Amino acid sequence: MRGFVHTTDPVRVVFGTGTVNRVREEAERLGARRTLLLSSPSARSVGPVRARLGPLLAAEFAGAAPHTPVEVTERALRVLRESDVDGLVAIGGGSTTGLSKALAVRTGLPQIIVPTTYAGSEVTSVLGETENGRKTTRSDPKILPDTVLYDVDFTLGLPVAMSVTSAVNALAHAVEALYAPEVDHVSEDRALEAIALIARALPQVAARPSDPDARTDLLHAAWLAGTCLAAVGMGLHHKLCHTLGGSFAMPHAATHTVVLPHVMAYNAPAAGEVMRRIARVMGVDDAPGGAHDLIARVGGPTSLRDLGMAETDLARAAELATAHPYPNPREPDREGVEALLVDAWYGREPGASSRGGPGAAD
Ligand code: NAD
């Protein structure tokens, strides 16, 4: 038997439809009597949470913003202190979850997260924050949410374009977990299950966005993939997306969507068995090509140029993403990474430049 080390983070997960009805009971379970309800300016599902919290709602802050700016956290902290808050409830995507984590790490308050995207941040003890244009990441047990309340109903109205990019963000957690050096069979099983669910449910959601069964599968996959992100270190794909988001202001989930098939193609020569397992659960012959086709079929973005990246920034991005060593199946050398970014910029087939075939010269 292969030895392994597995840590299970102590997050209570409540999953289903209509679980918002349990938010008050879950807050009471954490001993919270005066909660701060967090959301973003464009959040649509705050009403049901507000209503269910009832007398446990002490204050609201609807200013969550992408990349967790420290000045937003400081404004929310003032509201928290003025209202004598003893618990946090956050409804929204990864940005709102980030604000809740930033407040929890500063105050030690318990958190309930109600995710409305597939970002997976709700089950990790990692927080990325921005200050003076720089994004830094830290990990702390206080960052880890206490309770995650997944209510499929809140995802039924997630626009298809965001559903696609957010689901590929989850797919990326599962793919990179499979070739992490420390992965164990618990995370492997979860990652493969997440990939199978996403490959099956994403086309169904693109065709019928409020299909409850397909939405349930995607949210379930997001949780499974999030636990993989929490359990093992990520590789080149996450390093590149972090660089593109942090240093070139590229949108988080859409960037993941464009880059993933290209990183898979880059890593494939050194991770053959992982790619075969991914292809098998996706029901395709080739994992990078299968990921690319899935994204194209559901109308997801396939080119960094279309996302607004300047071609002249590609070399710098490759340099930044390869400046320090980190675990990845194939060593991330600057030329190879720049070549994959060029493929991603033009929206070519994954691996086009390394093959030097058609499409590599446009
Ligand atoms: P997001 O939270 O910024 O949401 C994007 C937009 O979608 C927002 O305008 C939001 O209001 C809207 N939205 C969210 N749910 C909706 C719904 N159900 N219906 C309609 N609109 C909805 O984007 P995201 O991709 O969820 O999260 C990205 C952020 O999360 C990034 O800052 C990223 O770094 C972070 N993140 C962190 C981790 C971690 O472990 N620390 C993991 C993944 C992502």
Coordinates of all heavy atoms in Angstrom, one line a residue, residues 28 55 60 83 157 161-162 170 194 224 272 279 292 308 311:
E28 N -27.0 30.2 15.2 CA -27.1 30.0 16.6 C -26.2 28.9 17.1 O -25.6 28.9 18.2 CB -28.6 29.6 16.9 CG -29.5 30.8 16.9 CD -31.0 30.5 16.9 OE1 -31.3 29.3 16.6 OE2 -31.8 31.4 17.1
P55 N -34.0 38.2 13.8 CA -33.4 39.0 14.9 C -31.9 38.9 15.0 O -31.3 39.6 15.8 CB -34.1 38.5 16.1 CG -34.7 37.2 15.7 CD -34.9 37.2 14.2
E60 N -25.3 45.2 8.0 CA -25.0 44.7 6.6 C -23.9 45.5 6.0 O -23.8 46.7 6.3 CB -26.3 44.8 5.7 CG -27.4 43.9 6.1 CD -28.4 43.8 5.0 OE1 -28.1 43.7 3.8 OE2 -29.6 43.8 5.4
S83 N -21.3 47.9 15.3 CA -22.5 47.2 15.6 C -22.3 46.0 16.6 O -23.2 45.2 16.7 CB -23.1 46.6 14.2 OG -23.2 47.7 13.3
G157 N -29.8 31.1 -11.0 CA -29.8 32.4 -11.9 C -28.4 32.9 -12.2 O -28.2 33.9 -12.8
A161 N -22.5 32.6 -18.8 CA -21.1 32.9 -19.1 C -20.3 32.7 -17.8 O -19.2 32.2 -17.8 CB -21.0 34.3 -19.6
M162 N -20.9 33.2 -16.7 CA -20.2 33.1 -15.4 C -20.2 31.6 -14.9 O -19.2 31.2 -14.2 CB -20.8 34.0 -14.3 CG -20.2 35.3 -14.2 SD -20.1 35.7 -12.4 CE -19.0 34.6 -11.7
A170 N -13.3 25.7 -11.0 CA -13.3 24.5 -10.2 C -12.6 23.3 -10.8 O -11.9 22.5 -10.2 CB -14.8 24.1 -9.9
A194 N -15.2 15.2 -9.3 CA -15.5 16.6 -9.7 C -15.4 16.8 -11.2 O -16.3 17.4 -11.8 CB -14.6 17.6 -9.0
L224 N -16.3 19.5 -4.0 CA -15.3 18.5 -4.1 C -13.9 19.1 -4.6 O -12.9 18.8 -4.0 CB -15.7 17.4 -5.1 CG -16.9 16.5 -4.7 CD1 -17.3 15.6 -5.8 CD2 -16.5 15.6 -3.5
G272 N 1.4 11.8 -18.0 CA 0.6 10.9 -18.9 C -0.5 10.2 -18.3 O -1.6 10.2 -18.7
A279 N -9.0 12.1 -19.0 CA -9.7 11.8 -20.3 C -10.8 10.7 -20.1 O -11.9 10.9 -20.6 CB -8.7 11.4 -21.4
H292 N -10.5 21.8 -23.9 CA -10.6 22.9 -24.9 C -12.0 22.8 -25.6 O -12.7 23.7 -25.7 CB -9.5 22.8 -25.8 CG -9.5 23.8 -26.9 ND1 -10.2 23.6 -28.1 CD2 -9.1 25.1 -27.0 CE1 -10.1 24.7 -28.9 NE2 -9.4 25.6 -28.2
G308 N -8.6 40.9 -23.2 CA -8.0 42.3 -23.1 C -6.6 42.3 -22.7 O -6.0 43.3 -22.4
E311 N -0.5 41.7 -26.0 CA 0.5 40.7 -26.4 C 1.9 41.0 -25.9 O 2.6 40.1 -25.6 CB 0.5 40.6 -28.0 CG 1.2 39.4 -28.5 CD 1.2 39.3 -30.1 OE1 0.7 40.3 -30.7 OE2 1.5 38.3 -30.6

